[in-house]
């Protein structure tokens, strides 16, 4: 039985004042204000650890310490920061534990601190902590979402769990890489943060990343930076910063806002040594009939942004049960669950798909009513993932606006409405692009076509040929991208993209362009058929590209049999080579053009030369 020493009005004022201070300061700069304000005695319960629940435990301690039950021992909960020594008993000073892990470490092993009675934790016990015999008492539920600056963020309005994985593994480096980006700076670089080592929120967030990645651990990208968990200062003035954030800790903070999309829920705990679970003082504070699970503590817990868990005596809840296992989701709370409904709409041709998501500290039970212009167009039961989906075929073209309203099945949930969501319905289009094969030196075109259910599409198509982009006008849905004769030999990927217009949707198609080496023909011409020994002789070699006006360039060699008697470089299809000091005799000369990646080699016909004295 909790005996109140002060009136409810006084307790309410304490809670309200603390909640107000929560919204005015960041965790790091004001953490010491959540210390007990007194040096604990041997009868007091001393707690350290998690930043996530330091404020709610400070609020609970403030209210509890004004009850008659505090005569046998108060609650003294020390904040997670700043990094300095704290006096936990008369004459006993220790380094302040920062986070769930360091807090629990103070309860066992070589880091055991006998003056510490309990550790605040925002994550369940690890195998090592379980082996050490620790026990945990869940008392409330918190949410985890992604937070950004409320003043000037570049983040989109929605970031899904899959998007979050790609942000933290380094796949998405700029905001514009996120599908459906609706922010203002697509080329700005994302700056992701994660909580400091030892943080319970870090442990929980890492588990969420793994779950969203199909059960495979996520290797963090090099851009991920550490920060004190729930420190709003790293987000407030940086439009590109993003971090996982407790929904409770975000309550009342005007400098940050929570992004729609990814969300997770977790129980929060106070952890004690296994040898202390039968201690009357521990049970009086943390047990099912203790203060934290009582109606007296509920105002302080809810004012800090958490939902109090229900006890086994009320609705089969798990508040105050000493266990080594994580409290299972869905959670049974002592509170009516506040919900938030969000709506996404996508269109494919004339079919619109509406998906509503209902968030809260439990799986929602009830229906979602979808409306357009105030008229109900469908009612769908919420499924086990707290979502409801409605598919609308045959929707007329143009901008269509919808809303979704969650109607709870019982009084355990609060109804909620989504913001209006608009989607543009257009006729689907189909783009096609033909594969083309040509030779170097031959100009050609790449045929493209765009059609829709309404017939040929007008407008233009963007055609990318190996990174070179051109715009092609459509006539009756068809067009052709020009390929110059000078395009070097090789295979090029081709993509034709129709961006869509007011009535027709976007589409694209891919193909390839293959440019082969062109054939050449070499001709050798001598200035004269007979020459005198020891005199020079001019020769002319001409190289033509078959079927093309392009002029050849490259190396040419004059040979008699296998012996080289002259060399030259063809420029613009011709070269003059002077032969010097030929000896008396008869010569059969041929010109050999080497060719390159664009031009095949060729050999001229043999020309006879007689050299006399």
């Amino acid at each position: 039985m909790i005996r109140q020493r002060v009136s409810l009005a006084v307790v309410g004022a304490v809670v309200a004042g603390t909640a107000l201070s929560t919204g005015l300061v960041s965790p790091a700069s004001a953490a010491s204000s959540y210390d007990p304000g007194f040096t604990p005695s041997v009868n007091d319960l001393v707690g350290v650890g998690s930043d996530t629940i330091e404020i709610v435990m400070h609020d609970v301690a403030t209210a509890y310490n004004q009850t008659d039950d505090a005569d046998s021992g108060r609650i003294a909960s020390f904040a997670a920061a700043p990094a300095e020594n704290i006096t936990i008993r008369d004459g006993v000073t220790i380094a302040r534990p920062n986070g769930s892990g360091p807090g629990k470490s103070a309860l066992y092993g070589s880091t055991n601190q006998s003056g510490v009675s309990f550790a605040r934790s925002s994550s369940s016990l690890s195998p090592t902590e379980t082996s050490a015999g620790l026990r945990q008492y869940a008392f409330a539920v918190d949410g985890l979402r992604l937070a950004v600056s409320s003043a000037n963020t570049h983040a989109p309005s929605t970031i899904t769990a899959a998007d979050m994985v790609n942000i933290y593994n380094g796949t998405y480096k700029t905001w514009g890489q996120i599908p459906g980006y609706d922010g203002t700076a697509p080329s700005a670089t994302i700056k992701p943060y994660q909580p400091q080592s030892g943080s319970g929120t870090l442990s929980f967030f890492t588990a969420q990343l793994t779950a969203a990645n199909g059960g495979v651990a996520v290797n963090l990208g090099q851009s991920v930076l550490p920060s004190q968990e729930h420190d709003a200062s790293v987000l407030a003035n940086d439009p590109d910063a993003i971090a996982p954030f407790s929904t409770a800790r975000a309550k009342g903070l005007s400098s940050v806002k929570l992004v729609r999309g990814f969300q997770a829920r977790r129980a929060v705990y106070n952890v004690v040594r296994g040898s202390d679970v039968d201690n009357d003082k521990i049970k009086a504070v943390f047990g099912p009939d203790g203060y934290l699970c009582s109606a007296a503590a509920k105002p302080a817990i809810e004012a800090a942004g958490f939902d109090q868990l229900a006890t086994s005596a009320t609705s089969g809840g798990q508040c105050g049960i000493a266990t080594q296992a994580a409290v299972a989701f869905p959670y049974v709370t002592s509170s009516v669950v506040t919900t938030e409904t969000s709506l996404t709409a996508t269109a494919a041709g004339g079919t619109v798909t509406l998906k509503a998501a209902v968030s809260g500290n439990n799986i929602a039970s009830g229906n979602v009513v979808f409306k357009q212009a105030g008229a109900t167009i469908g009612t769908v039961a919420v499924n086990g993932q707290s979502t409801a989906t409605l598919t609308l075929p045959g929707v007329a073209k143009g901008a269509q606006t919808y809303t979704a309203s969650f109607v709870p099945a019982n009084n355990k949930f609060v109804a909620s409405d989504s913001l209006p969501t608009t989607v543009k319905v257009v006729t689907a289009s189909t783009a096609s692009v033909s594969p083309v094969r040509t030779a170097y030196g031959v100009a050609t075109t790449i045929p493209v076509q765009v059609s829709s259910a309404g017939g040929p599409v007008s407008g233009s198509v963007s055609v990318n040929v190996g990174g070179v982009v051109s715009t092609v006008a459509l006539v009756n849905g068809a067009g052709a991208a020009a390929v110059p004769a000078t395009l070097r030999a090789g295979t090029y990927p081709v993509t034709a993209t129709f961006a869509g217009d007011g009535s027709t949707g976007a589409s694209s198609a891919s193909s390839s362009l293959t440019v082969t080496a062109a054939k050449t023909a070499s001709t050798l011409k001598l200035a004269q058929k007979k020459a005198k020994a020891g005199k020079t002789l001019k020769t002319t070699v001409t190289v033509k590209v078959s079927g093309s006006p392009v002029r050849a360039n490259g190396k040419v060699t004059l040979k008699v049999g296998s012996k080289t008697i002259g060399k030259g470089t063809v420029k613009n299809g011709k070269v003059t080579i002077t032969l010097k000091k030929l000896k008396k005799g008869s010569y059969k000369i041929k010109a050999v053009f080497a060719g390159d990646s664009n031009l095949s080699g060729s050999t001229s016909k043999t020309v006879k030369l007689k050299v006399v004295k």
Side-chain angles (χ1 to χ4, degrees):
M1 179 80 180
I2 307 293
R3 297 187 304 278
Q4 292 295 126
R5 185 182 280 165
V6 294
S7 70
L8 287 177
V10 173
V11 173
V14 170
V15 171
T18 306
L20 178 61
S21 67
T22 303
L24 295 177
V25 292
S26 69
S29 64
S32 60
S33 68
Y34 300 117
D35 284 344
F38 58 87
T39 299
S41 70
V42 68
N43 294 322
D44 295 332
L45 295 180
V46 174
V48 295
S50 170
D51 170 288
T52 303
I53 55 175
E54 70 179 16
I55 296 176
V56 67
M57 284 304 298
H58 176 271
D59 293 352
V60 167
T62 299
Y64 178 81
N65 291 343
Q66 297 178 70
T67 68
D68 289 340
D69 283 3
D71 289 344
S72 60
R74 299 162 294 181
I75 300 174
S77 179
F78 286 86
E84 61 183 16
N85 290 341
I86 53 175
T87 301
I88 59 172
R89 306 284 184 188
D90 284 328
V92 180
T93 299
I94 66 171
R96 185 191 298 270
N98 182 359
S100 303
K104 288 180 281 189
S105 293
L107 298 176
Y108 71 95
S110 61
T111 54
N112 179 62
Q113 298 289 344
S114 60
V116 174
S117 312
F118 68 94
R120 304 182 304 269
S121 180
S122 57
S123 61
S124 185
L125 295 174
S126 70
T128 299
E129 294 157 355
T130 299
S131 297
L134 302 187
R135 296 292 188 275
Q136 59 190 7
Y137 296 88
F139 70 96
V141 178
D142 184 26
L144 189 73
R145 291 169 68 175
L146 294 173
V148 295
S149 169
S150 61
N152 58 354
T153 184
H154 292 154
S157 58
T158 301
I159 296 177
T160 67
D163 296 335
M164 176 181 70
V165 170
N166 284 325
I167 288 172
Y168 276 85
N169 69 16
T171 299
Y172 294 162
K173 293 179 173 58
T174 62
W175 294 111
Q177 292 177 294
I178 298 175
Y181 178 69
D182 57 1
T184 60
S187 61
T189 300
I190 304 171
K191 192 182 295 182
Y193 286 88
Q194 69 168 2
Q196 80 281 3
S197 176
S199 157
T201 298
L202 174 61
S203 174
F204 184 71
F205 179 59
T206 300
Q208 302 313 302
L209 284 173
T210 299
N213 197 39
V216 179
V218 174
N219 293 320
L220 297 180
Q222 294 181 348
S223 61
V224 179
L225 302 170
S227 71
Q228 174 68 31
E229 64 177 354
H230 316 317
D231 183 358
S233 66
V234 301
L235 303 172
N237 298 312
D238 190 339
D240 297 311
I242 187 169
F245 218 91
S246 157
T247 58
R249 290 300 302 267
K251 182 179 180 180
L253 286 174
S254 60
S255 59
V256 301
K257 68 177 181 180
L258 301 176
V259 181
R260 289 178 180 266
F262 163 74
Q263 55 182 329
R265 291 176 283 277
R266 57 179 171 172
V268 291
Y269 308 87
N270 286 299
V271 180
V272 302
R273 300 175 181 88
S275 58
D276 288 337
V277 294
D278 292 326
N279 181 287
D280 288 341
K281 185 64 178 177
I282 293 291
K283 291 191 290 186
V285 173
F286 302 124
D289 297 320
Y291 185 77
L292 277 169
C293 296
S294 72
K298 184 175 180 179
I301 292 171
E302 292 185 345
F306 297 85
D307 286 312
Q308 185 186 48
L309 284 173
T311 64
S312 58
T314 57
S315 307
Q318 295 174 284
C319 188
I321 298 175
T323 180
Q324 291 187 316
V327 172
F329 180 83
Y331 309 107
V332 180
T333 70
S334 65
S335 309
V336 175
V337 176
T338 300
T339 66
E340 180 183 277
T341 299
S342 59
L343 176 64
T344 58
T346 57
T351 299
V352 171
T353 301
L354 303 176
K355 184 174 182 179
V358 183
S359 64
N361 283 332
N362 215 326
I363 292 178
S365 176
N367 296 319
V368 170
V369 178
F370 296 94
K371 295 183 178 182
Q372 185 174 26
T376 298
I377 56 175
T379 300
V380 180
V382 175
N383 63 21
Q385 287 73 47
S386 290
T387 63
T389 302
L390 178 67
T391 301
L392 303 171
V395 178
K397 291 192 294 184
Q400 308 292 341
T401 301
Y402 304 94
T403 59
S405 299
F406 170 60
V407 180
N410 50 54
N411 59 8
K412 293 183 179 180
F413 296 91
V414 177
S416 58
D417 300 313
S418 74
L419 296 173
T421 297
T422 300
V423 64
K424 194 170 188 178
V425 180
V426 295
T427 303
S429 70
T430 302
S432 63
V433 56
S434 301
V436 173
R437 187 179 183 86
T438 188
Y440 174 76
V442 180
T444 188
T445 59
I446 301 174
V448 296
Q449 192 167 11
V450 181
S451 61
S452 72
V457 174
S458 61
S460 62
V461 175
S462 175
V463 181
N464 185 320
V465 180
V468 178
V469 180
S470 61
T471 300
V472 176
L474 296 173
V475 178
N476 292 325
V483 178
T486 54
L487 185 64
R488 299 184 64 83
T491 299
Y492 300 87
V494 178
T495 302
T497 303
F498 176 63
D501 54 30
S503 60
T504 308
S507 60
S508 64
S510 298
S511 185
S512 64
L513 167 67
T514 301
V515 181
T516 61
K519 294 181 179 180
T520 62
S522 297
T523 303
L524 171 62
K525 185 177 180 180
L526 303 179
Q528 55 196 68
K529 297 291 183 71
K530 185 183 290 187
K532 288 187 177 184
K535 300 293 185 179
T536 61
L537 174 66
K538 289 188 176 182
T539 65
T540 302
V541 179
T542 303
V543 180
K544 291 186 177 181
V545 179
S546 301
S548 171
V550 173
R551 296 186 177 185
N553 296 288
K555 301 294 183 180
V556 69
T557 304
L558 298 182
K559 287 183 173 291
V560 175
S562 61
K563 182 179 179 181
T564 299
I565 62 172
K567 294 181 179 180
T569 300
V570 176
K571 293 184 179 179
N572 294 322
K574 185 178 292 188
V575 63
T576 298
I577 302 174
T578 301
L579 301 178
K580 300 179 179 179
K581 300 180 180 179
L582 291 175
K583 296 180 180 179
K584 178 184 176 182
S586 296
Y587 296 85
K588 293 181 179 181
I589 306 172
K590 58 185 177 182
V592 180
F593 176 63
D596 57 20
S597 60
N598 294 317
L599 300 173
S600 62
S602 58
T603 302
S604 71
K605 292 181 179 179
T606 300
V607 176
K608 294 181 180 180
L609 172 67
K610 188 173 184 179
V611 179
V612 298
K613 285 187 177 181

